[in-house]
């Protein structure tokens, strides 16, 4: 007897002519390869489900009913999860973290509130067997515990882990930028912002959970292209959401689908879960860059009039929206080495879209032409018109805290470095345009121009 497949929709099909057992997916998806092993299709799937147990069992015997098959799979998941909760590191392929890196990852989590947190290193340290990284799941489990959300909302740890695995795996790891590592980076930034005294003194557990969930899922299932691309190619998502906040609506609806499928909040009253779903939507939709001016104007008005009342749930929610917007575009405010990596990744994603548009003879979108749009010029424009206005207002709101000053200092230094690199590119381009013969005086002039 052998399992033929485990489909993404959650069905488990057996090749018995008189028996076809189906079991709802519980903790991640997997596919059975051949008759001897399991091939996990989605990154970070945990725990490992060894379907060889089923291969050696006669369906007409011990597990002759769907209920018993489900009980077997459920027990296996509970057993491995309970070992994890008791602090027992699973062996062989039952890893949440690779044992070699477990101690280093734990050490990093002890400093998760520091702005110089290196999410790329953390992602490498949270390698699970056979997957690239497990940073989003590991980070969220830790932060839910740190903020007391598991106890406050009486969340089941196995169900929480299952939901987070679903979120992490629905990010596209092939995207250079919009992937689970970006989601983890935004979540870590959101954690830092939630600790700012001006905001932290008023936040409720619901506010904190909403902020972390929205940060983790704000780009889930991102296709690696922008909204104009979806619209001009008549993508079904553009039609579904009538060309308005297409990606953000998709991220939100996908998150709600996973929340319901996982039943993470099923024990809460219906009106509470409905309110959480709506507020999640409001937060995620706020990340639409096309609404940047709308939020900036409103924030400026509140700050100028000094009429923000964070005792009011509506004002707190607005500031959570601003915090998420800041977290989403905070890359230029990171240390140069981290910021530069993110800049190169997002531009690589832009260029891939441009190549795709060129291939299908579509007009190349702004910032997506690798021959014309250089990384320094893209980043300088982004910092000048998008990042600086938002973070200056955020600093005004927080009262120029050490974190806000640190971010603005990084932003200014990084912008200066990109300007220096752009200047060097222009100098190099001018020298290449010459006939190839450069006099000594000209060479000296060029060298002087290249000096920042």
């Amino acid at each position: 007897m052998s399992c033929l497949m485990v489909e993404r929709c959650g069905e488990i099909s057996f090749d018995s002519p008189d028996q076809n057992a189906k079991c709802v997916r519980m903790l991640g998806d997997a596919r059975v390869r051949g008759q001897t092993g399991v091939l996990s299709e989605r990154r970070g799937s945990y725990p490992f489900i060894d379907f060889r147990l089923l291969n050696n069992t006669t369906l007409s015997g011990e597990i002759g009913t769907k209920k018993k098959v489900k009980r077997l799979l459920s027990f296996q998941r509970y057993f491995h999860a309970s070992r994890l909760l008791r602090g027992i590191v699973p062996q062989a392929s039952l890893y949440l973290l690779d044992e070699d890196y477990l101690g280093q990852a734990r050490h990093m989590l002890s400093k998760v509130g520091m702005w110089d947190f290196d999410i790329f290193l953390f992602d490498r340290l949270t390698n699970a067997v056979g997957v690239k990284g497990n940073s989003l799941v590991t980070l969220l489990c830790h932060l839910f515990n740190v903020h007391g959300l598991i106890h406050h909302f009486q969340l089941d740890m196995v169900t929480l882990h299952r939901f987070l695995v679903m979120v992490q795996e629905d990010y596209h790891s092939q995207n250079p930028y919009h992937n689970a590592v970006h989601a983890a980076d935004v979540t870590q930034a959101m954690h830092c912002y939630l600790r700012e005294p001006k905001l932290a003194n008023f936040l409720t557990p619901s506010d904190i959970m909403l902020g972390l969930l929205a940060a983790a899922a704000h780009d889930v299932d991102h296709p690696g292209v922008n909204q104009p691309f979806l619209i001009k190619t008549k993508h079904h998502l553009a039609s579904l959401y009538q060309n308005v906040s297409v990606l953000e609506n998709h991220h939100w609806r996908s998150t709600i689908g996973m929340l319901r499928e996982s039943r993470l909040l099923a024990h809460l009253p219906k009106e509470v879960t409905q309110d959480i779903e709506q507020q999640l939507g409001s937060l995620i939709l706020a990340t639409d860059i096309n609404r940047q001016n709308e939020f900036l104007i409103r924030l400026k008005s509140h700050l100028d009039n000094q009429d923000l009342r964070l005792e009011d749930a509506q004002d707190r929610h607005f500031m959570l929206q601003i915090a998420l917007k800041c977290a989403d575009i905070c890359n230029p405010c990171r240390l140069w080495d981290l910021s530069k990596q993110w800049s190169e990744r997002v531009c690589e994603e832009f260029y891939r879209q441009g190549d795709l548009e060129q291939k299908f003879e579509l007009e190349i979108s702004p910032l997506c032409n690798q021959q014309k749009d250089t990384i320094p010029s893209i980043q300088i424009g982004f910092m000048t018109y998008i990042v600086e206005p938002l973070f200056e207002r955020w600093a005004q709101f927080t009262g120029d805290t050490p974190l806000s000053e640190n971010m603005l200092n990084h932003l200014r230094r990084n912008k200066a470095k990109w300007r220096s690199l752009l200047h060097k590119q222009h100098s190099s381009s001018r020298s290449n345009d010459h006939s190839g013969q450069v006099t000594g005086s000209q060479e000296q002039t060029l060298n002087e121009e290249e000096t920042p």
Side-chain angles (χ1 to χ4, degrees):
M1 188 74 63
S2 67
C3 300
L4 291 182
M5 67 179 66
V6 181
E7 295 290 357
R8 179 180 171 84
C9 63
E11 294 188 358
I12 302 177
S13 301
F14 298 85
D15 57 4
S16 169
D18 58 345
Q19 192 74 263
N20 184 26
K22 298 180 180 179
C23 177
V24 176
R25 180 182 69 189
M26 299 183 65
L27 275 181
D29 295 324
R31 283 184 185 271
V32 176
R33 177 175 53 197
Q35 298 185 5
T36 59
V38 177
L39 173 64
S40 177
E41 287 241 325
R42 301 175 68 192
R43 64 189 292 278
S45 292
Y46 176 84
F48 179 91
I49 306 302
D50 191 350
F51 288 98
R52 286 173 293 182
L53 292 177
L54 300 182
N55 296 349
N56 300 326
T57 310
T58 305
L59 285 175
S60 59
E62 294 181 56
I63 55 169
T65 66
K66 299 177 185 178
K67 184 176 181 180
K68 288 182 179 179
V69 173
K70 183 174 181 178
R71 184 184 302 138
L72 171 62
L73 298 178
S74 177
F75 173 78
Q76 192 178 38
R77 289 177 168 86
Y78 172 79
F79 174 73
H80 297 320
S82 64
R83 285 171 56 85
L84 178 67
L85 296 180
R86 294 199 307 272
I88 302 173
V89 179
Q91 301 299 316
S93 22
L94 303 176
Y95 279 81
L96 175 60
L97 299 180
D98 192 307
E99 192 171 3
D100 291 340
Y101 299 110
L102 187 58
Q104 297 177 62
R106 283 176 176 166
H107 177 70
M108 286 196 70
L109 284 176
S110 70
K111 301 182 178 182
V112 71
M114 300 180 67
W115 190 244
D116 61 356
F117 190 86
D118 187 340
I119 198 64
F120 296 112
L121 173 60
F122 184 69
D123 191 62
R124 292 193 295 272
L125 293 177
T126 56
N127 278 342
V129 171
V131 296
K132 189 174 181 181
N134 204 34
S135 54
L136 185 59
V137 171
T138 309
L139 181 66
L140 260 295
C141 284
H142 176 75
L143 292 180
F144 264 63
N145 186 50
V146 166
H147 288 284
L149 302 178
I150 297 171
H151 174 74
H152 181 85
F153 291 100
Q154 294 297 296
L155 300 177
D156 177 74
M157 270 300 297
V158 177
T159 307
L160 173 63
H161 191 273
R162 173 198 176 206
F163 167 72
L164 295 178
V165 167
M166 292 167 66
V167 172
Q168 178 175 264
E169 292 180 342
D170 274 355
Y171 279 93
H172 299 187
S173 59
Q174 67 269 27
N175 288 345
Y177 183 84
H178 289 103
N179 51 42
V181 185
H182 166 65
D185 185 61
V186 173
T187 303
Q188 189 271 335
M190 189 66 167
H191 168 65
C192 293
Y193 300 156
L194 294 176
R195 298 172 68 215
E196 286 283 57
K198 186 70 176 290
L199 192 59
N201 293 334
F202 298 94
L203 293 176
T204 67
S206 292
D207 296 327
I208 296 172
M209 184 172 74
L210 282 166
L212 293 177
L213 285 179
H218 79 284
D219 273 332
V220 73
D221 199 31
H222 195 291
V225 293
N226 60 21
Q227 174 173 292
F229 182 90
L230 297 179
I231 292 174
K232 67 186 177 184
T233 56
K234 300 186 183 341
H235 193 276
H236 73 275
L237 288 177
S239 301
L240 179 63
Y241 297 114
Q242 300 179 325
N243 298 342
V244 177
S245 297
V246 175
L247 288 170
E248 291 73 24
N249 269 299
H250 178 58
H251 305 323
W252 169 35
R253 297 298 183 182
S254 297
T255 303
I256 299 308
M258 288 183 284
L259 269 175
R260 294 179 180 179
E261 181 182 350
S262 68
R263 297 185 60 79
L264 176 64
L265 307 177
H267 61 290
L268 300 178
K270 185 176 180 180
E271 59 272 15
V272 173
T273 59
Q274 288 178 338
D275 182 59
I276 288 174
E277 291 179 356
Q278 289 303 313
Q279 291 197 64
L280 272 177
S282 177
L283 289 171
I284 293 174
L285 289 173
T287 62
D288 185 350
I289 203 69
N290 294 317
R291 301 179 63 192
Q292 187 79 354
N293 286 338
E294 169 194 337
F295 280 95
L296 271 179
I297 291 171
R298 185 177 167 190
L299 178 60
K300 181 179 183 299
S301 175
H302 278 307
L303 294 175
D304 292 347
N305 297 326
Q306 298 184 348
D307 59 0
L308 273 173
R309 298 291 178 264
L310 296 180
E311 302 88 348
D312 186 338
Q314 185 175 354
D315 282 0
R316 284 201 311 276
H317 183 78
F318 172 69
M319 289 314 302
L320 281 178
Q321 290 177 310
I322 297 297
L324 181 58
K325 290 177 68 62
C326 287
D328 190 26
I329 62 171
C330 72
N331 303 149
C333 302
R334 297 283 193 180
L335 291 168
W336 169 250
D337 289 341
L338 300 176
S339 178
K340 184 172 180 287
Q341 286 187 68
W342 284 120
S343 299
E344 292 168 347
R345 283 168 175 256
V346 74
C347 289
E348 173 62 23
E349 197 164 294
F350 290 161
Y351 296 152
R352 287 186 184 184
Q353 176 177 321
D355 292 343
L356 198 59
E357 290 167 331
Q358 185 176 33
K359 178 180 178 181
F360 291 101
E361 299 181 348
L362 300 169
E363 181 182 357
I364 299 179
S365 299
L367 311 182
C368 295
N369 191 331
Q370 190 169 2
Q371 307 306 317
K372 297 180 180 179
D373 304 308
T374 66
I375 297 178
S377 62
I378 291 174
Q379 290 307 306
I380 292 170
F382 178 57
M383 293 177 180
T384 302
Y385 299 108
I386 303 296
V387 182
E388 282 180 345
L390 180 61
F391 277 87
E392 286 171 354
R393 292 296 178 184
W394 175 259
Q396 185 180 345
F397 163 72
T398 61
D400 296 317
T401 60
L403 174 58
S404 291
E405 290 184 0
N406 192 22
M407 290 191 297
L408 287 176
N409 287 335
H410 284 317
L411 177 60
R412 296 181 185 112
R413 284 194 291 266
N414 293 340
K415 186 176 179 180
K417 288 190 176 184
W418 284 121
R419 279 178 168 164
S420 176
L421 290 173
L422 183 63
H423 178 75
K424 289 180 179 180
Q425 284 185 353
H426 288 166
S427 298
S428 176
S429 177
R430 287 197 300 270
S431 65
N432 290 335
D433 286 341
H434 291 173
S435 62
Q437 298 295 325
V438 181
T439 66
S441 59
Q442 288 174 324
E443 185 175 0
Q444 180 180 359
T445 302
L446 288 173
N447 289 336
E448 290 173 353
E449 287 179 352
E450 290 177 7
T451 303

